Amino acid sequence: MPAAVLPVPARVAALVLAWATSACAAPQVAPADAPALSAAPSGPQREEIDVALAVYEAGSLQEAERRFRALARKGSPVGRYNLAMMHVLGEAQRPDADEAVRLLEQSAAQGFIRSEYALGQVYELGVAGPPDQPRAVAWYQRAARHGHIDAQVSLGTAYYLGRGIGKDAAQAAQWYRAAAQAGDVGAQYLLASMYESGLGVEQDLRIARYWYEAAARNGDEAAPHKVRELDQRLREVPL
């Protein structure tokens, strides 16, 4: 009997079925034992992926599932990822969470970074069984080292809260910084707050202001207030 698919929070649903060459980009920081990342498909397989995605976007879920399954059988990491997500989101004819995990693990083994991150979410949220935070963190670490921004934020948060791994504010700051440098507004705000308070980093109001200002430029609603607050504090600091 296939495992029942649990209700999926919006965070997992946000992993939309899509093709993005950035998901196969070269790693920013890769551990020595990391598999070689697969190159973007080209030619007939790329065309098959594009057609399958168009079918999915048109709402023909059965046909999309058939096409993604055919790609998965050919060993396509993108096909495996998309078929897995149809299972996770309950869109497959017979949703099977265990099958989703198997497909994601196959895709991740081929170096498809989006699958690495998806596995972190699957284990964190308990999509295929009880939540397993340490296992989720292991997948977040892998995806984060390969440059996945959301995984970097998730890993930073795991270190910040001590969730699934020992609490380590310095490590949290390191991964928030990586995501902040890549433009993640939430990470920019969190990193600014850590510099403001001296949590995990040496307290530095000027660096804190820099990151609050970056977050403000990217649309964070609270950040402009923090910029003004730090401007006032910095004016009061004797030279």
Side-chain angles (χ1 to χ4, degrees), residues 184-208:
D184 185 272
V185 62
Q188 290 169 346
Y189 191 95
L190 287 164
L191 184 62
S193 71
M194 295 181 81
Y195 273 106
E196 181 182 4
S197 64
L199 178 63
V201 294
E202 184 176 349
Q203 185 181 36
D204 191 318
L205 297 185
R206 295 185 186 280
I207 296 178

Side-chain angles (χ1 to χ4, degrees), residues 50-61 63-64 67:
D50 288 341
V51 170
L53 289 170
V55 169
Y56 176 83
E57 292 295 334
S60 301
L61 297 183
E63 178 63 13
R67 289 179 179 273

Side-chain angles (χ1 to χ4, degrees), residues 28-176:
Q28 295 179 1
V29 182
D33 59 350
L37 298 184
S38 52
S42 58
Q45 189 173 101
R46 175 60 184 264
E47 292 175 9
E48 288 181 61
I49 292 168
D50 288 341
V51 170
L53 289 170
V55 169
Y56 176 83
E57 292 295 334
S60 301
L61 297 183
Q62 282 188 248
E63 178 63 13
E65 181 184 357
R66 185 188 70 78
R67 289 179 179 273
F68 288 138
R69 182 174 291 108
L71 283 160
R73 286 172 177 161
K74 292 178 182 179
S76 164
V78 182
R80 285 169 169 163
Y81 168 82
N82 284 323
L83 180 57
M85 293 312 298
M86 289 194 75
H87 281 288
V88 170
L89 299 174
E91 295 174 336
Q93 282 187 283
R94 296 180 179 177
D96 185 337
D98 291 334
E99 176 68 2
V101 171
R102 185 184 69 82
L103 288 163
L104 287 172
E105 287 177 343
Q106 289 177 340
S107 179
Q110 294 172 276
F112 195 64
I113 301 169
R114 190 173 293 189
S115 291
E116 296 173 348
Y117 175 63
L119 281 163
Q121 289 201 303
V122 162
Y123 285 116
E124 180 178 2
L125 299 170
V127 171
D132 187 334
Q133 298 295 346
R135 206 165 185 178
V137 168
W139 282 109
Y140 287 146
Q141 286 175 323
R142 183 166 169 172
R145 289 168 182 158
H146 288 155
H148 194 289
I149 299 170
D150 289 337
Q152 291 169 347
V153 175
S154 294
L155 182 57
T157 300
Y159 277 116
Y160 189 92
L161 299 175
R163 188 170 61 197
I165 198 167
K167 187 179 287 190
D168 188 327
Q171 282 290 314
Q174 174 186 324
W175 288 109
Y176 284 148

